[in-house]
Amino acid sequence: MTARIERPLSPHMQVYRWTLTMALSIIHRATGIALYFGTLLLVWWLVAAASGPAAYAHVQAFAGSIIGRLIVFGYTWALMHHMLSGIRHFVWDLGYGFKANEREALTWGALIGGIALTVLIWIVAYANGGGR
């Protein structure tokens, strides 16, 4: 009847040697998902601000707690990392940055840049009285 076609199977993740580019590509997807949940918190904050002082105070109390600040810090990092990784992917879409050294430079730039921008944003926020 029908002959079975023998096709090569794709190797599993255990076969590949992990590189920074692979890891950050996966992290880019994960930060995209995290941004959906973080945006729900942003909507909660905006709705509370429109609802009145009591609702706003409740959200601010949560955001001012240790857990709240960690979540907001993580949201900030996810936003910065996702933005810079998106720029990295855009550069690739334009056809640039595919040489090994260019690829590594773009990857390290997205990783270090995301962390640096996050820390810089928080330093500026605290310097302007946002850490009260």
Side-chain angles (χ1 to χ4, degrees), residues 25-74:
S25 184
I26 292 168
I27 292 172
H28 178 71
R29 289 172 178 86
T31 56
I33 293 167
L35 290 175
Y36 279 106
F37 295 106
T39 302
L40 291 175
L41 293 174
L42 180 63
V43 168
W44 181 36
W45 180 72
L46 290 172
V47 168
S51 297
Y56 186 73
H58 183 67
V59 174
Q60 285 298 97
F62 172 75
S65 70
I66 296 294
I67 292 173
R69 286 180 192 236
L70 283 173
I71 290 171
V72 175
F73 185 83

Coordinates of all heavy atoms in Angstrom, one line a residue, residues 25-74:
S25 N 17.0 33.5 23.8 CA 15.8 33.4 23.0 C 14.7 32.8 23.7 O 13.5 33.3 23.6 CB 16.2 32.5 21.8 OG 15.1 32.5 20.9
I26 N 14.9 31.9 24.6 CA 13.9 31.3 25.4 C 13.5 32.3 26.5 O 12.3 32.5 26.8 CB 14.4 30.0 26.1 CG1 14.6 28.9 25.0 CG2 13.5 29.5 27.2 CD1 15.3 27.7 25.4
I27 N 14.4 33.0 27.1 CA 14.1 34.1 28.1 C 13.2 35.2 27.4 O 12.3 35.7 28.0 CB 15.3 34.6 28.7 CG1 16.0 33.5 29.6 CG2 15.0 35.9 29.5 CD1 17.3 33.9 30.2
H28 N 13.5 35.5 26.1 CA 12.7 36.5 25.4 C 11.2 36.1 25.4 O 10.3 36.9 25.6 CB 13.3 36.7 24.0 CG 12.5 37.7 23.2 ND1 12.5 39.0 23.4 CD2 11.7 37.5 22.1 CE1 11.7 39.6 22.5 NE2 11.2 38.7 21.7
R29 N 11.0 34.8 25.1 CA 9.6 34.3 25.1 C 9.0 34.3 26.5 O 7.8 34.7 26.6 CB 9.6 32.9 24.5 CG 9.9 32.8 23.0 CD 10.0 31.4 22.5 NE 10.3 31.3 21.1 CZ 11.4 31.4 20.5 NH1 12.5 31.6 21.2 NH2 11.5 31.3 19.2
A30 N 9.8 33.9 27.5 CA 9.3 33.9 28.9 C 9.0 35.3 29.3 O 8.0 35.6 30.0 CB 10.3 33.3 29.8
T31 N 9.8 36.3 29.0 CA 9.5 37.7 29.4 C 8.3 38.2 28.7 O 7.6 39.0 29.3 CB 10.7 38.6 29.2 OG1 11.1 38.6 27.8 CG2 11.9 38.3 30.1
G32 N 8.1 37.8 27.5 CA 6.8 38.2 26.8 C 5.6 37.7 27.5 O 4.6 38.4 27.7
I33 N 5.7 36.5 28.0 CA 4.6 35.9 28.8 C 4.4 36.7 30.1 O 3.3 37.0 30.5 CB 4.8 34.4 29.0 CG1 4.6 33.7 27.7 CG2 3.7 33.9 30.0 CD1 5.1 32.2 27.8
A34 N 5.6 36.9 30.8 CA 5.5 37.6 32.1 C 5.0 39.1 31.9 O 4.3 39.6 32.8 CB 7.0 37.7 32.6
L35 N 5.2 39.7 30.8 CA 4.7 41.0 30.5 C 3.2 41.0 30.5 O 2.5 42.0 30.9 CB 5.3 41.6 29.3 CG 6.7 42.0 29.3 CD1 7.2 42.5 28.0 CD2 7.0 43.0 30.4
Y36 N 2.5 39.9 30.0 CA 1.1 39.9 30.1 C 0.6 40.0 31.5 O -0.3 40.7 31.8 CB 0.6 38.6 29.5 CG 0.5 38.6 28.0 CD1 1.4 37.9 27.2 CD2 -0.5 39.3 27.3 CE1 1.4 37.9 25.8 CE2 -0.5 39.3 25.9 CZ 0.4 38.6 25.2 OH 0.3 38.7 23.8
F37 N 1.2 39.2 32.4 CA 0.8 39.2 33.8 C 1.1 40.6 34.5 O 0.3 41.1 35.3 CB 1.4 38.0 34.6 CG 0.9 36.7 34.1 CD1 1.7 35.9 33.3 CD2 -0.5 36.3 34.3 CE1 1.2 34.7 32.8 CE2 -0.9 35.1 33.9 CZ -0.1 34.3 33.1
G38 N 2.3 41.1 34.2 CA 2.7 42.4 34.7 C 1.7 43.5 34.3 O 1.4 44.4 35.0
T39 N 1.3 43.4 33.0 CA 0.3 44.4 32.5 C -1.0 44.3 33.2 O -1.7 45.4 33.4 CB 0.2 44.2 31.0 OG1 1.5 44.3 30.4 CG2 -0.8 45.3 30.4
L40 N -1.4 43.2 33.7 CA -2.6 43.1 34.5 C -2.4 43.8 35.8 O -3.4 44.5 36.3 CB -2.9 41.6 34.8 CG -3.4 40.8 33.6 CD1 -3.6 39.3 34.0 CD2 -4.7 41.3 33.1
L41 N -1.2 43.8 36.4 CA -0.9 44.6 37.6 C -1.0 46.1 37.3 O -1.5 46.9 38.1 CB 0.4 44.2 38.2 CG 0.5 42.8 38.8 CD1 1.9 42.4 39.2 CD2 -0.5 42.6 40.0
L42 N -0.5 46.4 36.1 CA -0.5 47.8 35.7 C -2.0 48.3 35.6 O -2.3 49.4 36.0 CB 0.3 48.0 34.4 CG 0.3 49.4 33.9 CD1 1.0 50.4 34.8 CD2 1.0 49.4 32.5
V43 N -2.8 47.5 35.0 CA -4.2 47.8 34.8 C -4.9 47.9 36.2 O -5.7 48.8 36.4 CB -4.9 46.7 34.0 CG1 -6.4 46.9 34.0 CG2 -4.4 46.8 32.5
W44 N -4.5 47.0 37.1 CA -5.0 47.1 38.5 C -4.7 48.4 39.1 O -5.6 49.1 39.8 CB -4.5 45.9 39.3 CG -4.9 45.8 40.7 CD1 -6.2 46.1 41.2 CD2 -4.2 45.4 41.9 NE1 -6.2 45.9 42.6 CE2 -5.0 45.5 43.0 CE3 -2.9 45.0 42.0 CZ2 -4.5 45.1 44.3 CZ3 -2.4 44.6 43.3 CH2 -3.2 44.7 44.4
W45 N -3.5 48.9 38.9 CA -3.0 50.2 39.5 C -3.8 51.3 38.9 O -4.2 52.2 39.6 CB -1.5 50.3 39.2 CG -0.9 51.6 39.7 CD1 -0.7 51.9 41.0 CD2 -0.4 52.6 38.9 NE1 -0.1 53.2 41.1 CE2 0.0 53.6 39.8 CE3 -0.4 52.9 37.6 CZ2 0.6 54.8 39.3 CZ3 0.2 54.0 37.1 CH2 0.6 55.0 38.0
L46 N -4.0 51.3 37.5 CA -4.7 52.4 36.8 C -6.2 52.4 37.2 O -6.8 53.5 37.4 CB -4.6 52.2 35.3 CG -3.2 52.5 34.8 CD1 -3.1 52.1 33.3 CD2 -2.8 53.9 35.0
V47 N -6.8 51.2 37.3 CA -8.2 51.2 37.7 C -8.4 51.7 39.2 O -9.3 52.4 39.5 CB -8.8 49.8 37.6 CG1 -10.1 49.6 38.3 CG2 -8.9 49.4 36.1
A48 N -7.4 51.3 40.0 CA -7.5 51.8 41.4 C -7.3 53.3 41.5 O -8.0 54.0 42.3 CB -6.4 51.1 42.2
A49 N -6.4 53.8 40.6 CA -6.2 55.3 40.6 C -7.5 56.0 40.2 O -7.8 57.1 40.7 CB -5.0 55.6 39.7
A50 N -8.2 55.4 39.3 CA -9.5 56.0 38.8 C -10.6 55.8 39.8 O -11.6 56.5 39.7 CB -9.8 55.4 37.4
S51 N -10.5 54.8 40.6 CA -11.6 54.4 41.5 C -11.6 55.2 42.8 O -12.7 55.3 43.5 CB -11.5 52.9 41.9 OG -11.6 52.1 40.8
G52 N -10.5 55.8 43.2 CA -10.5 56.7 44.4 C -9.4 56.4 45.3 O -8.6 55.5 45.1
P53 N -9.2 57.2 46.3 CA -8.1 57.1 47.2 C -8.0 55.8 48.0 O -6.9 55.3 48.2 CB -8.3 58.3 48.2 CG -9.3 59.2 47.5 CD -10.1 58.4 46.6
A54 N -9.1 55.2 48.4 CA -9.0 54.0 49.2 C -8.5 52.9 48.3 O -7.6 52.1 48.8 CB -10.4 53.7 49.7
A55 N -9.0 52.7 47.1 CA -8.5 51.6 46.2 C -7.1 51.9 45.8 O -6.3 50.9 45.8 CB -9.4 51.6 45.0
Y56 N -6.7 53.1 45.6 CA -5.3 53.4 45.2 C -4.4 53.2 46.4 O -3.3 52.6 46.2 CB -5.2 54.9 44.8 CG -3.9 55.3 44.3 CD1 -3.5 54.8 43.0 CD2 -3.0 56.1 45.0 CE1 -2.2 55.2 42.5 CE2 -1.8 56.4 44.5 CZ -1.4 56.0 43.3 OH -0.2 56.3 42.8
A57 N -4.8 53.5 47.6 CA -4.0 53.2 48.7 C -3.7 51.7 48.9 O -2.6 51.3 49.3 CB -4.6 53.8 50.0
H58 N -4.7 50.9 48.6 CA -4.6 49.5 48.7 C -3.6 48.9 47.8 O -2.7 48.1 48.1 CB -6.0 48.8 48.5 CG -6.0 47.3 48.7 ND1 -5.8 46.7 49.9 CD2 -6.2 46.4 47.7 CE1 -5.8 45.4 49.7 NE2 -6.1 45.2 48.4
V59 N -3.6 49.4 46.5 CA -2.6 48.9 45.5 C -1.3 49.5 45.9 O -0.3 48.7 45.7 CB -3.1 49.4 44.1 CG1 -2.0 49.1 43.1 CG2 -4.4 48.8 43.7
Q60 N -1.2 50.7 46.3 CA 0.1 51.2 46.7 C 0.7 50.5 47.9 O 2.0 50.3 48.0 CB 0.0 52.7 47.0 CG -0.1 53.6 45.8 CD 1.1 53.5 44.9 OE1 1.1 52.8 43.9 NE2 2.1 54.3 45.2
A61 N -0.1 50.0 48.8 CA 0.4 49.2 49.9 C 1.0 47.9 49.4 O 2.0 47.5 49.9 CB -0.7 49.0 50.9
F62 N 0.3 47.3 48.5 CA 0.9 46.1 47.9 C 2.2 46.3 47.1 O 3.1 45.6 47.3 CB -0.2 45.4 47.0 CG 0.4 44.2 46.2 CD1 0.6 43.0 46.9 CD2 0.8 44.4 44.9 CE1 1.2 42.0 46.2 CE2 1.3 43.3 44.2 CZ 1.5 42.1 44.8
A63 N 2.2 47.4 46.3 CA 3.3 47.7 45.5 C 4.5 48.1 46.4 O 5.7 47.9 46.0 CB 3.0 48.8 44.5
G64 N 4.2 48.7 47.5 CA 5.3 49.1 48.5 C 5.8 48.0 49.3 O 6.9 48.2 50.0
S65 N 5.2 46.9 49.4 CA 5.7 45.7 50.2 C 6.9 45.1 49.5 O 7.2 45.4 48.3 CB 4.6 44.7 50.4 OG 4.3 44.0 49.1
I66 N 7.6 44.3 50.2 CA 8.8 43.6 49.7 C 8.4 42.8 48.4 O 9.1 42.9 47.4 CB 9.5 42.7 50.7 CG1 10.0 43.5 51.9 CG2 10.6 41.9 50.1 CD1 11.1 44.5 51.5
I67 N 7.3 42.0 48.6 CA 6.9 41.2 47.4 C 6.5 42.1 46.3 O 6.8 41.8 45.1 CB 5.8 40.2 47.9 CG1 6.3 39.2 48.8 CG2 5.1 39.5 46.7 CD1 5.3 38.3 49.4
G68 N 5.8 43.1 46.5 CA 5.3 44.0 45.5 C 6.5 44.7 44.8 O 6.5 44.8 43.5
R69 N 7.5 45.1 45.5 CA 8.6 45.7 44.9 C 9.4 44.7 44.1 O 9.9 45.1 43.0 CB 9.5 46.4 45.9 CG 9.0 47.6 46.5 CD 9.9 48.3 47.5 NE 9.1 49.3 48.2 CZ 9.5 50.6 48.3 NH1 10.7 50.9 47.7 NH2 8.8 51.5 48.9
L70 N 9.5 43.5 44.5 CA 10.2 42.5 43.7 C 9.4 42.2 42.4 O 10.1 42.0 41.4 CB 10.3 41.2 44.5 CG 11.4 41.1 45.6 CD1 11.3 39.8 46.4 CD2 12.8 41.3 45.0
I71 N 8.1 42.2 42.5 CA 7.3 42.0 41.3 C 7.5 43.1 40.3 O 7.7 42.9 39.1 CB 5.8 41.7 41.7 CG1 5.7 40.4 42.3 CG2 5.0 41.9 40.4 CD1 4.3 40.2 42.9
V72 N 7.5 44.4 40.8 CA 7.6 45.5 40.0 C 9.0 45.6 39.4 O 9.2 45.9 38.2 CB 7.3 46.8 40.7 CG1 7.5 48.1 39.9 CG2 5.8 46.8 41.2
F73 N 10.0 45.2 40.2 CA 11.4 45.2 39.7 C 11.5 44.1 38.6 O 12.1 44.4 37.6 CB 12.4 44.8 40.9 CG 13.8 44.9 40.4 CD1 14.5 46.1 40.4 CD2 14.5 43.7 40.1 CE1 15.8 46.2 40.0 CE2 15.8 43.8 39.7 CZ 16.5 45.0 39.6
G74 N 10.9 42.9 38.8 CA 10.9 41.9 37.8 C 10.2 42.3 36.5 O 10.6 42.0 35.4

